Amino acid sequence: MKDYIEERVLQVARYIIESQETIRKTATVFGVSKSTIHKDMTERLPKINAQIAEEAKNVLDLNKAERHIRGGKATQMKYKTIEG
């Protein structure tokens, strides 16, 4: 793996752990696709640093578990705007 990819993977992992952000928001911040972020976190990071990979996985799992709640809130806000 090239050095710049390893560095990006570690930066992304630190960002996700510190900010508790979703894959989509992280991809926007780093200017790459969400597929790239997902591959970085699930395939590349465990090979580079297993401990950081586990921490990042915990954050991503939490975000995944809460995603239906965020979607519901977005829909609720949409219809409040339309009604108001």
Side-chain angles (χ1 to χ4, degrees):
M1 189 178 323
K2 296 187 178 179
D3 289 341
Y4 74 92
I5 293 175
E6 283 188 26
E7 185 59 35
R8 182 192 66 220
V9 169
L10 291 172
Q11 285 178 340
V12 167
R14 285 188 209 107
Y15 177 79
I16 288 174
I17 292 166
E18 291 171 8
S19 67
Q20 305 284 306
E21 287 291 358
T22 62
I23 285 181
R24 284 179 188 257
K25 288 187 180 179
T26 303
T28 302
V29 168
F30 284 87
V32 295
S33 71
K34 62 186 175 127
S35 299
T36 299
I37 298 295
H38 188 267
K39 184 170 184 166
D40 285 352
M41 295 300 100
T42 59
E43 295 178 21
R44 295 179 178 132
L45 185 58
K47 293 176 185 175
I48 296 170
N49 188 321
Q51 182 180 358
I52 293 176
E54 187 62 31
E55 291 178 41
K57 183 180 183 316
N58 290 338
V59 172
L60 295 176
D61 287 347
L62 177 65
N63 285 338
K64 187 174 182 180
E66 293 176 345
R67 132 175 102 188
H68 69 284
I69 296 169
R70 285 191 299 275
K73 286 183 181 178
T75 303
Q76 185 180 24
M77 292 300 293
K78 173 184 171 184
Y79 286 107
K80 278 186 179 179
T81 303
I82 291 172
E83 290 173 2

